[in-house]
Amino acid sequence: QVRLVESGGDSVQAGGSLRLSCTASGNTYRSNCVGWFRQSPGKEREGVATIYTDGGPTVYADSVEGRFTVSEDRAKRTVYLQMESLTLEDTATYYCATRVFPPLARDCKPDAAADFGIWGQGTQVTVSS
């Protein structure tokens, strides 16, 4: 059906930047809700950011707003997460996910993880001081 693959995770120093990629394959919808989530060992999964892949809108968690930017390249079927001013608290495995069916009203928010039925394998981001 649909497969998502994340890439771009790395080990970086605090204050640095990374760009994560989420590339889709299979029978994807032309437009859908795509989200970025993260999880550290022993912690709950946290919604980071979402984008509706028809040019927007984008929504960000309070913890990353102003530092992270989500964008898309429709031709490449890829969604990006540009991360700036990274802190130790950003260390986590980052996952992208998408809806099984696109929401009719472009309702697409990172605090609604239960709405996302297709997930990638994750990519590790480690921030050191």
Side-chain angles (χ1 to χ4, degrees):
Q1 187 70 17
V2 177
R3 188 166 74 101
L4 303 179
V5 178
E6 302 96 334
S7 62
D10 204 353
S11 298
V12 299
Q13 294 189 20
S17 302
L18 281 175
R19 189 184 193 185
L20 307 183
S21 298
C22 172
T23 299
S25 61
N27 191 23
T28 59
Y29 288 90
R30 188 176 188 272
S31 301
N32 203 348
C33 177
V34 177
W36 284 98
F37 302 83
R38 64 187 181 185
Q39 188 167 24
S40 299
K43 294 185 177 181
E44 294 289 327
R45 180 179 55 193
E46 177 188 15
V48 175
T50 55
I51 184 171
Y52 200 86
T53 60
D54 65 352
T58 57
V59 183
Y60 299 92
D62 291 343
S63 59
V64 306
E65 190 165 11
R67 299 187 298 120
F68 290 11
T69 304
V70 64
S71 62
E72 65 168 322
D73 185 328
R74 184 178 297 273
K76 296 181 178 179
R77 293 202 289 177
T78 297
V79 171
Y80 303 97
L81 184 67
Q82 180 69 41
M83 306 186 294
E84 308 284 351
S85 301
L86 287 163
T87 72
L88 298 180
E89 289 70 37
D90 296 318
T91 295
T93 302
Y94 284 72
Y95 300 88
C96 66
T98 191
R99 298 277 296 268
V100 175
F101 301 104
L104 294 178
R106 302 202 303 170
D107 186 14
C108 185
K109 300 181 186 303
D111 62 351
D115 293 337
F116 296 82
I118 302 172
W119 292 77
Q121 85 290 341
T123 186
Q124 179 66 38
V125 173
T126 301
V127 184
S128 60
S129 60

